[in-house]
Structure formats: C-alpha cells, structure tokens
Amino acid sequence: MPLTSHRRLAVSATLIAALASAVAPATSAFAAPDARSADATAISSASVTASESTPVPVPDMEGVTAALNAAMANGAPGAMARYVGPDGVQSRTVGVRDRVSGAAMDVHARFRIGSVSKTFSTVVLLQLVEEGKLELDAPVTTYLPGLLPDDRITVRHLLTHRSGLADYTDAMFQNTVPGFEAVRNRVFSYQELVDLSLKLPRTTEPGVAYKYSNANFVVVGMLIEKATGRSVANAYERRIFKPLKLRSTSYVHPDTRIKGLHVRGYLHPDEAGAPLVDSTEQTVSWAQSAGAVISTPGDLNTFTSALLRGRLLSPAMLDAMTTVTPTDATNTRFYGLGLRRYNLSCGTQIFGHTGTVQGFYTYAFSTRDGRRSLSAVANTSNHGSANTALGGTLEAAFCGKKPAPAASSRAAAEPTAGESTAGDLTSRPAERDLPERH
C-alpha cells in the first residue's frame, strides 16, 4: 500500500522502468522544473559513478569500533553505530550514555539528532512541492509576503544553503556554554529567529555560493506550516514517522525532556580542561525545524534507506534532491536539497546528513540505492576532533578494511596533496553545523 496515497501519481512509465531495479515504487510524483537555479554547476547522482553495481565491500566493524573509540579518546563519554547491509544489522557501542549512573551506551537509546532534522524537513517540503502547494524556484516571499527583504531568494536557495541568510547561531553561541545556557529553556518564535538572522550582514547574493545557515531551515519550517495549516510536528508525524513506523522518533519542542531510554549529551566548554556540561535537557527552540528531532540509530537507518529507495518521494523529486554542488575544494563533499553527499576513498558515494546539537554529534548516511546505511552518534559536542573521529565509521562501514601497504612500497604509497586521501573523511576536519571552539 502506498505511504501517501492521497498524492497523485504522474511518473512516466519510462522513468519507472529505468528505476524499478534500484528503488521501490514512489508514493508520489513530481515534474521537476525545467529551469534549474544558477547555483554553480549541479552534479546529478545519476551522472556520477553508480558504484553499487560493483561487489559490496564487507563492512569493517573493527574499524567502526576503532572510530568510536577514537571519538571517546577525543572527549566523548560514549559512542555507538548501527550498520544495515545485505547481510543484516551490525551494531557497536563503546563507553557510557550517562556519566553519573555509568549506564553503558545502548543502541536502542534515543538522542538529539541535530541537523539531520533538516533532511526530514526537506522531505516534507518536497512532498508539498509534488502536491503543487509550493514551487522550488518561486521566491519565498510568494508564500511568506514581507518575511525576507530580497525577492530573489527562492525555496530552492533555502534547501541548498544558497540564500545568503546569515546563520544567527554564530553570534548566539560565540561563547559556547554561556550562549547555550541563555537559550536552554527559552522558547523562540520562528519570526524571532529570522529577525536575528536579518540583523546580520548577508553572506552571499542569492544563488551565488554555498554557505551553511540554520536560518534557511527555520524559513523552511515556516513554509511547511503555511502550506499545510498545521505544525511541523504534525507534518513530520503524518508524512514520515507514521508511514515508516519510526516509533522512537519524534519532534520535541518546546518540551525539554527526552522521554524513555535515552543518551545524555555533554557539552565541552570553551576553556580547556573545564568540566563537561550536561546539556541533555533543552527546548532546542533556537533550531526547531532546523534541528529539534529526536531519534535512534535504528530509526535513522530506516529513514535514510527508505528515502533513497524512493519510498517518500517520486523518482524525479529524489533525483532533484540528490543533485548536488560542491561545498569545499576537496571535491569529496557536496550538498543537494537538504542532503549531503560524501565521496568516500573507495569510490562509494553516500547520502545523508550530519547533526550537531549541544551534547551530540550524529552521522546518518545511506548508499544511493538505499541497500546500505549507517548511523552513528557520540554524546559530546564543541570538540571537533571527536566529530572527525566519529566520521571514520563511514569509511569503515561502506569501504571495508583497507589493505595495509607493503613495507617496501609504503613510501611510494604516501599520498601527495589531493590524491588518495581525498575521499577519506578522517583526513580533514568534520563539517560544522554549529560554531565550535575546539
């Protein structure tokens, strides 16, 4: 039974036939606009290496564990990862989920996923586009008159972080712990958050360059609520959580608690050697539709796999979502519509999102065909080395064990700048969703 049968099907038979072997039938259809935005050079997932036709590497779960331990060595009280592939589910946990009780990390425990929430918000918005309630290349002010001072900013610009709207969290968390404590129990309106952004200089002209900003997805939340007449929480529940049976996933705002079995998050102060701050309870009102979802490793695996198998969007819309542009000069990191793409060292491409919220780092990624997925979390933040180390779970899970170079050829195997380590996520700092001091 289709997940969203109320939406009309308009996908051509040719397109279905071409994609049927790779994805499950889509539940809705969307005719992508002829005019792409002039946002640099777009790279479609269909036009780059479809490496999943090659033999699937055996996941290196020892390497996954090593990455989790490296995250702990860099300041995380605990970490965990859950991998799903053709041979089933494999999970690894290290350390503790609660420093006071000493309770061990538990792969069934819930945690704050931070900016992985942006992919949930994007799916909802793209479903609304499919239903004809919004247009990707229409100005935001068409739907929210007077909200933004620039009519050139489109819906697509928000989803691709090319609007030029400044990220208000840079100033909000300039001093990490005092900034967090100032908003821990505060409840913002969407308008207040947009106003914080508009008080700051614009970062770029609309469509010119990628510049990550939480303000973009605050406006996405406003668009969802305007188009549906309901809350973002209701839209998530009706369109994603219930259809996919994500029983441990919820949008929690402004309640400060994480109900049930959960991981406690710990924030590193800016001062070296200062004690960790338990940041578990907070409204996350400073983020809302940009980062207030709570989930588990299992539910995140289900979500990313279902998305990339075509269970939430039509093939045409999923192709639009996975059409990416570079975010840095390494040519290994890209951004589509609310979705990151990483090119790994073995040639595999994975799609998903990173997440940072006070006390938690998260990775949630799948291969383009949805057959393999990995979610990982470490219960700390404001400590970028822990985030980078956690990213090593992706290389280990999706690329498998790397052969050790022979001693005689080790010198020759040393890569020059930009060579073989270009796809290795641990060879450079992790991408930041929030400002960090360490």
Side-chain angles (χ1 to χ4, degrees), residues 18 63 101 134 161 168 202 239 257 268 298 326 341-342 361 383 393 409 432:
S101 70
L134 296 164
H161 290 292
Y168 56 85
R202 297 267 288 282
R239 294 171 175 268
R257 299 167 295 166
H268 274 84
R341 190 187 88 193
Y342 288 158
Y361 287 131
H383 214 265
T393 58
S409 62
R432 300 189 306 175

Side-chain angles (χ1 to χ4, degrees), residues 75-375:
M80 60 179 168
R82 185 179 187 269
Y83 170 82
V84 180
D87 295 326
V89 178
Q90 300 185 66
S91 301
R92 297 292 186 271
T93 63
V94 299
V96 299
R97 61 181 175 85
D98 187 326
R99 296 178 71 225
V100 174
S101 70
M105 187 62 76
D106 190 320
V107 77
H108 302 292
R110 305 173 76 220
F111 55 91
R112 300 190 186 280
I113 69 172
S115 288
V116 180
S117 306
K118 291 178 172 66
T119 305
F120 285 85
S121 295
T122 301
V123 168
V124 172
L125 195 70
L126 294 182
Q127 288 180 354
L128 294 170
V129 171
E130 289 180 319
E131 294 163 15
K133 296 177 181 176
L134 296 164
E135 293 182 9
L136 276 176
D137 293 305
V140 172
T141 52
T142 301
Y143 311 107
L144 299 170
L147 179 69
L148 303 179
D150 193 332
D151 291 342
R152 296 175 298 166
I153 298 174
T154 68
V155 175
R156 190 189 298 273
H157 290 150
L158 299 177
L159 298 177
T160 56
H161 290 292
R162 290 174 175 268
S163 69
L165 295 176
D167 194 343
Y168 56 85
T169 65
D170 290 343
M172 183 178 284
F173 302 125
Q174 183 173 6
N175 297 304
T176 302
V177 173
F180 166 65
E181 295 295 358
V183 301
R184 181 198 282 261
N185 296 303
R186 185 169 172 180
V187 178
F188 291 92
S189 68
Y190 282 130
Q191 185 66 60
E192 287 176 305
L193 296 176
V194 172
D195 289 345
L196 288 175
S197 173
L198 295 179
K199 288 178 182 177
L200 301 169
R202 297 267 288 282
T203 59
T204 181
E205 292 294 303
V208 171
Y210 169 89
K211 184 65 175 177
Y212 191 91
S213 174
N214 286 285
N216 290 316
F217 280 79
V218 169
V219 179
V220 167
M222 298 177 78
L223 286 170
I224 290 171
E225 295 195 348
K226 181 68 177 290
T228 63
R230 301 185 181 188
S231 68
V232 164
N234 179 275
Y236 285 152
E237 188 71 28
R238 222 164 37 88
R239 294 171 175 268
I240 303 176
F241 300 164
K242 284 186 176 179
L244 295 184
K245 299 180 180 179
L246 305 182
R247 296 185 176 90
S248 296
T249 303
S250 55
Y251 175 77
V252 180
H253 174 263
D255 192 354
T256 63
R257 299 167 295 166
I258 304 178
K259 296 179 180 178
L261 179 70
H262 64 274
V263 180
R264 300 199 71 82
Y266 299 95
L267 178 61
H268 274 84
D270 293 338
E271 301 76 24
L276 298 178
V277 173
D278 188 324
S279 53
T280 311
E281 280 80 31
Q282 63 159 307
T283 62
V284 198
S285 193
W286 60 266
Q288 299 186 51
S289 50
V293 173
I294 291 170
S295 192
T296 63
D299 276 7
L300 289 180
N301 289 145
T302 298
F303 171 64
T304 58
S305 292
L307 171 60
L308 290 159
R309 284 177 179 267
R311 294 183 59 199
L312 294 169
L313 297 170
S314 70
M317 187 59 81
L318 184 56
D319 185 60
M321 190 178 189
T322 55
T323 297
V324 298
T325 55
T327 61
D328 61 17
T330 68
N331 217 36
T332 60
R333 293 171 173 173
F334 306 83
Y335 208 90
L337 302 180
L339 199 67
R340 295 193 188 279
R341 190 187 88 193
Y342 288 158
N343 291 0
L344 301 181
S345 60
C346 58
T348 294
Q349 296 174 351
I350 54 174
F351 295 81
H353 216 289
T354 53
T356 302
V357 63
Q358 288 87 356
F360 302 94
Y361 287 131
T362 303
Y363 288 82
F365 283 83
S366 285
T367 50
R368 179 58 180 84
D369 61 3
R371 293 177 59 218
R372 296 185 287 152
S373 66
L374 180 114
S375 53

